[in-house]
């Protein structure tokens, strides 16, 4: 942490419209911002840590034309925003066996040096990796007292057949990873959460191809997309039951989202959410809840790197400003009293 201007390292891919407004805000507020992608390593990025002579940890970035070099003292960072960087790029001349070795070495070396940086991370990549494990999220949420849908996780077709035979509720299939499939030469296609029909019995064998998640379908009054930045909560109501396209999965709406009025989270839900994020070690997260007709909150999932800029545009919420505040303040971070922001 510096006593002068905060220094923020943003690790993300070159095209990331979520990052651009936040970087602009940081610069306007006097922060020194360094934006880089891990694909710059090793050809445009060098990482060095040394105990010989003066102890130092540095990251150097070369301009595309190779003329300019920028050096970052990793010990002077206030914070790191780990958004969505792409992987290391070893160039076309290295053979694949050597690339595999170099990639493993880079994961250990670069990952280890960055992990040792003593500053605020939003979020550390190891935190994101654990936080994205949906079965782990569900078990944590249950242990902390949140209601979650009854869930079957399996790659055994017989297990699903037995569930369908005895189910007292409709059953929905949900992908663990957001369901994006990218076929060559086509736009990425997403698998939305789907209530399974009778046709599932003809395709039970497909369950055997990989791990699958099936959940009881929970009746909804509306849904809540909660964005958490530090101890600031932005709960946004989605009236998903107003349209057929959003009734099962609100991501099915590609036009105007059916937002509802601001409804702050009940204190008990806030308390349990804080406990969940403490367990996960997440500073930033986007969470999804169902609210039943009886008013009960049902936890669906945590997205440690969930998008938020679409809500800033749609709802005029100051999400980018609050994230900039968090990054400029730096660490250490501790969960504490929550402020809920309405609209």
């Amino acid at each position: 942490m510096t006593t002068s201007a905060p220094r923020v390292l943003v690790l993300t891919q070159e095209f990331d419209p979520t990052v651009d407004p936040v970087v602009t805000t940081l610069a306007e507020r006097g922060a020194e911002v360094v934006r880089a992608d891990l694909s710059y390593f090793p050809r445009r990025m060098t990482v060095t840590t040394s105990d010989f002579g003066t102890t130092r940890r540095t990251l150097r970035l070369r301009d595309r034309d190779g003329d300019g070099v920028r050096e970052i003292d990793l010990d002077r960072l206030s914070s790191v925003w780990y958004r969505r960087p792409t992987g290391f790029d070893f160039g076309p001349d290295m053979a694949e066996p050597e690339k595999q070795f170099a990639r493993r070495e880079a994961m250990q070396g670069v990952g280890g040096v960055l992990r040792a940086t003593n500053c605020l991370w939003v979020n550390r990549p190891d935190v994101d990796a654990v936080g994205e494990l949906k079965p782990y999220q569900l078990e944590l949420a249950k242990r902390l007292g949140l209601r979650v849908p009854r869930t079957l996780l399996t790659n055994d077709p017989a297990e699903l057949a037995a569930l369908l035979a005895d189910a007292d509720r409709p059953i929905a299939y949900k992908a663990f990873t957001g369901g994006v499939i990218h076929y060559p030469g086509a736009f990425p296609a997403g698998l939305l959460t789907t209530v399974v029909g009778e046709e599932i019995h003809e395709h039970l064998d497909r369950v055997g191809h990989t791990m699958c998640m099936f959940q009881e379908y929970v009746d909804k009054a509306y849904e809540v997309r909660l964005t958490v930045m530090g101890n600031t909560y932005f709960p946004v109501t989605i009236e998903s039951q107003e349209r057929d396209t959003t009734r099962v999965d609100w991501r099915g709406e590609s036009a105007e989202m059916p937002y509802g009025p601001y409804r702050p989270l009940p204190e008990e839900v806030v308390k349990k959410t804080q406990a969940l994020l403490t367990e996960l070690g997440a500073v930033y997260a986007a969470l999804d809840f169902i609210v039943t007709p009886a008013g009960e909150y049902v936890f669906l999932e945590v997205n440690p790197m969930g998008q938020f800029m679409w809500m800033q545009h749609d709802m005029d919420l100051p999400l980018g400003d609050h994230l900039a505040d968090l990054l400029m303040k730096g660490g250490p971070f501790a969960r504490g009293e929550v402020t809920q922001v309405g609209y």
Side-chain angles (χ1 to χ4, degrees):
M1 186 87 177
T2 68
T3 56
S4 56
R7 175 173 287 187
V8 180
L9 174 62
V10 179
L11 294 173
T12 194
Q13 54 197 263
E14 291 197 352
F15 178 74
D16 188 345
T18 296
V19 162
D20 298 338
V22 179
V23 168
T24 299
T25 299
L26 286 167
E28 290 173 348
R29 296 183 180 181
E32 184 178 349
V33 186
V34 178
R35 177 174 175 169
D37 188 13
L38 292 180
S39 66
Y40 298 169
F41 182 91
R43 294 186 292 169
R44 289 179 55 201
M45 176 191 293
T46 63
V47 178
T48 301
T49 180
S50 176
D51 290 330
F52 291 93
T54 303
T55 300
R56 56 195 171 91
R57 273 198 293 266
T58 59
L59 184 151
R60 294 188 183 92
L61 295 173
R62 288 193 298 276
D63 295 338
R64 287 190 178 279
D65 56 17
D67 293 337
V69 177
R70 187 174 187 184
E71 182 169 302
I72 298 96
D73 182 349
L74 295 177
D75 291 323
R76 289 188 55 228
L77 289 176
S78 302
S79 58
V80 178
W81 184 14
Y82 188 88
R83 253 291 289 177
R84 294 187 172 180
T86 56
F88 306 119
D89 183 357
F90 298 97
D93 299 328
M94 188 181 291
E96 188 57 35
E98 284 77 18
K99 283 184 180 179
Q100 293 179 13
F101 171 77
R103 188 173 295 110
R104 291 194 299 269
E105 294 295 288
M107 288 290 292
Q108 289 285 320
V110 176
V113 171
L114 291 176
R115 175 64 180 83
T117 301
N118 186 24
C119 67
L120 175 72
W121 279 78
V122 183
N123 295 312
R124 286 200 328 256
D126 58 305
V127 167
D128 284 344
V130 172
E132 287 184 325
L133 298 173
K134 296 299 189 294
Y136 180 54
Q137 294 177 13
L138 295 173
E139 287 301 318
L140 273 181
K142 284 191 289 187
R143 176 159 59 83
L144 294 169
L146 287 164
R147 178 185 165 187
V148 303
R150 291 178 294 175
T151 303
L152 170 68
L153 307 171
T154 190
N155 69 322
D156 185 344
E159 289 282 352
L160 176 58
L163 172 64
L164 294 173
D166 295 335
D168 57 359
R169 299 282 302 151
I171 300 298
Y173 166 77
K174 182 177 181 179
F176 290 104
T177 57
V180 176
I181 302 176
H182 197 170
Y183 294 102
F187 288 107
L191 293 174
L192 299 177
T193 300
T194 306
V195 175
V196 301
E198 288 299 317
E199 73 282 351
I200 190 67
H201 295 283
E202 301 176 18
H203 305 290
L204 283 173
D205 60 311
R206 297 185 182 182
V207 174
H209 294 318
T210 188
M211 282 295 290
C212 300
M213 176 163 58
F214 298 93
Q215 293 183 317
E216 63 174 337
Y217 183 76
V218 177
D219 292 332
K220 310 171 186 178
Y222 58 91
E223 298 182 64
V224 173
R225 173 69 168 208
L226 170 65
T227 304
V228 177
M229 296 179 175
N231 289 309
T232 304
Y233 278 37
F234 297 86
V236 172
T237 300
I238 299 175
E239 302 284 4
S240 59
Q241 302 311 287
E242 292 184 352
R243 302 179 188 175
D244 291 339
T245 55
T246 59
R247 194 175 301 277
V248 175
D249 189 333
W250 55 256
R251 295 175 301 171
E253 182 55 71
S254 59
E256 185 177 344
M257 190 69 67
Y259 297 109
Y262 170 66
R263 298 181 177 101
L265 298 181
E267 189 57 39
E268 189 63 22
V269 175
V270 171
K271 180 180 177 181
K272 292 173 181 177
T273 300
Q274 285 286 80
L276 175 63
L277 297 179
T278 298
E279 289 274 1
L280 293 175
V283 177
Y284 170 89
L287 300 91
D288 292 314
F289 293 91
I290 287 171
V291 181
T292 70
E296 184 178 13
Y297 279 70
V298 181
F299 169 83
L300 291 180
E301 65 180 29
V302 178
N303 301 283
M305 292 187 290
Q307 301 281 22
F308 64 86
M309 198 55 71
W310 55 278
M311 287 182 293
Q312 174 162 311
H313 293 320
D314 290 352
M315 309 294 289
D316 199 27
L317 280 167
L319 292 154
D321 288 347
H322 276 265
L323 184 59
D325 290 340
L326 184 64
L327 293 169
M328 290 188 69
K329 183 178 180 181
F333 171 77
R335 297 228 154 260
E337 185 176 350
V338 168
T339 299
Q340 297 197 59
V341 178
Y343 52 87

